[in-house]
């Protein structure tokens, strides 16, 4: 897919509206349009990375920063202590529909079935 056609690149460029909750030079966080929990935020690198499967060595730093942003949002929005869940779908079998790396941040209720553990 060409980057010009990527939905989340369009959100980064303000060509499609989104309810932003955090933004810096490299990272954007916005509310999911179809929330699966009372709080459902998508955290993305502004730079187009297709998925976890396409991470390059240069991308290691941005992944760490994304987790720090998630920590900050949880603190600022007041659900750090109650807890939350972070999910990254990767590729077809992983259920990824938008091919621009994104971290789902879910909170605001006791979340349902755990797939792991
Ligand atoms: P995936 O299935 O790729 O892991 O997650 C894609 C997510 O993007 C879904 O939870 C979906 O609701 C969300 N989404 C799809 N289109 C839009 C949009 O135009 N705006 C926003 N804010 N979220 C979107
Ligand atoms: Zn993109």
């Amino acid at each position: 897919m060409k980057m010009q056609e990527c939905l989340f690149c369009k959100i980064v460029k303000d060509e499609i509206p989104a309810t932003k909750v955090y933004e810096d030079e490299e990272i954007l966080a916005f509310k999911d349009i179809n929330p699966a929990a009372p709080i459902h935020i998508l955290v993305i690198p502004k730079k187009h990375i297709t998925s976890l499967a396409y991470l390059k060595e240069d991308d290691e730093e941005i992944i760490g920063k994304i987790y720090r942003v998630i920590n900050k949002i949880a603190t600022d929005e007041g659900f750090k202590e109650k807890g939350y869940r972070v999910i990254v779908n990767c590729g077809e079998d992983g259920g990824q529909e938008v091919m621009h790396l994104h971290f789902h941040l879910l909170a605001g209720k006791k979340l349902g079935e755990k797939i792991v553990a």
Side-chain angles (χ1 to χ4, degrees), residues 7-8 11 16-19 30-36 40 42 87-91 94-100 102-104:
L7 180 66
F8 288 174
I11 288 177
I16 291 175
T19 307
F30 53 94
K31 291 188 179 171
D32 195 293
I33 206 166
N34 184 23
H40 187 169
L42 300 172
I87 294 172
V88 184
N89 298 323
C90 180
Q96 183 179 6
E97 287 178 3
V98 178
M99 299 309 274
H100 180 130
H102 52 281
F103 291 64
H104 294 261

Side-chain angles (χ1 to χ4, degrees), residues 75-90:
T75 305
D76 292 351
E77 305 276 325
F79 58 83
K80 177 181 170 176
E81 302 305 331
K82 277 288 233 174
Y84 51 91
R85 188 174 291 170
V86 179
I87 294 172
V88 184
N89 298 323
C90 180

